[in-house]
Amino acid sequence: MKFHGRMDESILVCVYYGPNGERLIRRGHKIATMLDCPLYVLNISRQSREEFDSSQEADLLHWQNLAVEFEIDDLILKTNEDRPIQQVIAEVCNDLNITQVIIGQTAQSRWEEITKGSFINQLLKALPFVDIHVISVDRQIHVEDHLYEKAIRAYLVDDEGVYRIYFDLPDKFICEGLFYKELSTDFDNGRFKFMYKGKTYEIEVDDGYIHDERIIKELNM
C-alpha cells in the first residue's frame, strides 16, 4: 500500500461501466494527490462476475490498469448486489472511514426524481458527514477505433513453448485478457490486451498465435 501523509482524509470514487469511469478516477486521483490521502475506487453491479459482457470486462481491465498507474489503494468490486446502491456506498464508506465521495452526474429524469426520490439526496441522507462531489459526465459513448470487433474474453497459453490464445477456459493459462478481432477476417487476427505482474500489454495476434519475441521474453522472466 502506498504511504500517505494524511490519514484523516480518504476518497472513494464510484464508477460504472461506460466511457466516464476514467474521468472520475482521474478527478479522484487529482484530489487525493493534493491531499496526500488514500484513494479507493468502487464499482457496484447486480450481476455476478461470470455474467459480465466483453465491454464490462474491458472497462474493468482499464480500471485495473489505472489502479496500478495511480497507485490506488484498492479497487473494490461489489457483485450480485440487490441492495440499494446508496446503502452499499455507505457501508464501504463506513468500513474505510471515507471522508469524500466522487460520483458521476446521473441521468435521472424529473419524473423518476418525483416517484423514486433524488439519488443524490438519498446518498446525502445515508452519508451525512461525508463530502460528495458530483462530476458532470459525458453521456455519449465515443467510438475511437472501427478496425476491430467487440472485445471477447481470451486466455494466453504456453503450449510447449508456443504462445497462443484460447477462448474456452483452459486447464492452465498464463493470464486472462481481452481479444479484439480485426474486422473482415476469418482468422483470429487482432490484438490481445492483458495485465501480467502489474504491467499492461497489448500485442499482435496472428491466427491465434503470439510471435513478439520481446513480449515472450518478458513472460518468461
Side-chain angles (χ1 to χ4, degrees), residues 149 181-189:
E149 296 180 4
K181 184 177 180 179
E182 291 180 356
L183 294 173
S184 305
T185 179
D186 294 328
F187 302 97
D188 290 327
N189 299 330

Side-chain angles (χ1 to χ4, degrees), residues 133-177:
H133 305 264
V134 182
I135 308 302
S136 176
V137 294
D138 186 357
R139 298 174 188 171
Q140 298 295 323
I141 298 176
H142 302 288
V143 178
E144 299 178 350
D145 198 337
H146 302 278
L147 300 177
Y148 301 97
E149 296 180 4
K150 189 175 181 179
I152 59 174
R153 189 179 306 182
Y155 305 88
L156 181 60
V157 173
D158 179 358
D159 189 1
E160 298 182 355
V162 178
Y163 290 81
R164 58 182 301 184
I165 59 171
Y166 282 76
F167 302 107
D168 295 324
L169 179 62
D171 294 331
K172 293 177 61 178
F173 59 92
I174 299 173
C175 60
E176 176 184 345

Side-chain angles (χ1 to χ4, degrees), residues 16 42 44 46 82-90 119 123:
Y16 193 69
L42 170 66
I44 303 169
R46 300 197 184 281
D82 56 3
R83 296 177 294 171
I85 293 176
Q86 300 92 324
Q87 182 180 340
V88 180
I89 294 174
F119 174 82
L123 190 59

Side-chain angles (χ1 to χ4, degrees), residues 7-18:
M7 298 301 292
D8 58 329
E9 292 280 353
S10 55
I11 298 172
L12 178 69
V13 179
C14 301
V15 295
Y16 193 69
Y17 301 98

Side-chain angles (χ1 to χ4, degrees), residues 31-84:
I31 298 174
T33 300
M34 292 171 57
L35 296 176
D36 192 17
C37 70
L39 173 64
Y40 304 90
V41 175
L42 170 66
N43 172 253
I44 303 169
S45 175
R46 300 197 184 281
Q47 298 172 294
S48 67
R49 178 67 188 276
E50 291 73 24
E51 294 175 303
F52 285 8
D53 61 25
S54 58
S55 63
Q56 290 172 304
E57 289 288 350
D59 285 338
L60 181 55
L61 179 62
H62 187 46
W63 299 338
Q64 290 170 337
N65 294 339
L66 291 173
V68 174
E69 178 184 350
F70 294 149
E71 298 184 88
I72 291 172
D73 291 80
D74 198 7
L75 172 60
I76 305 163
L77 303 178
K78 293 286 188 178
T79 57
N80 281 323
E81 278 292 351
D82 56 3
R83 296 177 294 171

Side-chain angles (χ1 to χ4, degrees), residues 195-213:
M195 179 180 287
Y196 184 70
K197 293 184 178 179
K199 184 176 179 180
T200 303
Y201 295 87
E202 185 172 336
I203 55 179
E204 294 283 348
V205 179
D206 181 14
D207 198 16
Y209 291 88
I210 309 298
H211 301 293
D212 191 322
E213 294 295 335

